[in-house]
Amino acid sequence: MSLRPYEPFRNLDNMRRELDRIFNGDFSIFKTGLDRQNLGNLNVDVYETETEVVATCDIPGLERKEDVSIDIENNVLSISGTINRVHEVSEENMHRQERYVGRFHRAVGLPASVAVEGVKATYKNGVLEIRMPKTKPDIKSKIDIDFH
């Protein structure tokens, strides 16, 4: 039996690594059914122009507009939905069926206040683009004092 130096924090370090592994993973040990095939987070690009805030993200495989939901509340943009794709390929002496089913969700804080009215979303070639008009900043005005 070999001697090892006493390292009182070794067990804590092992526990921290295990917790990091669990919480940085896809949580698949806690999911059931379709949730196991979670598509994960969307990568969202957000930029602003003088008049609007624009968000774009890649969501390949959407077939209907009902498969995606876009919400704006308290200056947070939320994009969520499901993808249901089935492809069948038949080859000589082989039949293969590939399924691509899953859910996605992403919430992103916006860099400026936006108006909910006038938001336009387009989906083309697997890219969702959301254009949100900025709200007008409060215009500074001088208040006259009634002085007696």
Side-chain angles (χ1 to χ4, degrees):
M1 180 162 121
S2 63
L3 293 176
R4 280 200 260 163
Y6 178 65
E7 296 178 27
F9 297 108
R10 180 187 345 203
N11 289 336
L12 288 176
D13 189 45
N14 290 340
M15 188 180 342
R16 181 194 55 82
R17 271 191 248 126
E18 185 65 20
L19 286 171
D20 285 347
R21 184 187 65 78
I22 290 171
F23 287 109
N24 289 332
D26 65 357
F27 291 97
S28 61
I29 59 174
F30 301 113
K31 297 179 180 182
T32 58
L34 288 178
D35 288 341
R36 271 194 202 133
Q37 295 184 13
N38 188 339
L39 299 176
N41 285 335
L42 300 174
N43 294 325
V44 179
D45 297 333
V46 178
Y47 64 93
E48 62 181 306
T49 65
E50 288 184 26
T51 59
E52 62 188 1
V53 175
V54 181
T56 58
C57 60
D58 295 333
I59 312 175
L62 287 179
E63 295 177 359
R64 306 172 306 163
K65 67 180 183 178
E66 292 82 15
D67 292 340
V68 66
S69 174
I70 302 168
D71 298 308
I72 300 171
E73 185 177 353
N74 296 329
N75 237 23
V76 175
L77 171 68
S78 296
I79 305 168
S80 60
T82 58
I83 294 177
N84 297 309
R85 264 196 316 195
V86 177
H87 295 287
E88 291 186 23
V89 177
S90 295
E91 296 176 12
E92 188 177 305
N93 297 327
M94 184 177 91
H95 184 75
R96 181 180 75 219
Q97 186 174 19
E98 296 180 359
R99 296 181 186 269
Y100 184 66
V101 177
R103 298 179 188 184
F104 58 88
H105 175 78
R106 182 69 191 268
V108 180
L110 299 173
S113 296
V114 296
V116 178
E117 301 81 29
V119 173
K120 293 182 182 173
T122 57
Y123 181 75
K124 184 177 180 182
N125 296 330
V127 178
L128 177 66
E129 180 181 74
I130 305 160
R131 294 186 167 274
M132 301 157 278
K134 289 183 179 179
T135 58
K136 302 282 185 201
D138 294 335
I139 298 172
K140 184 177 179 181
S141 62
K142 186 166 178 129
I143 309 285
D144 189 32
I145 301 171
D146 194 14
F147 195 77
H148 296 279

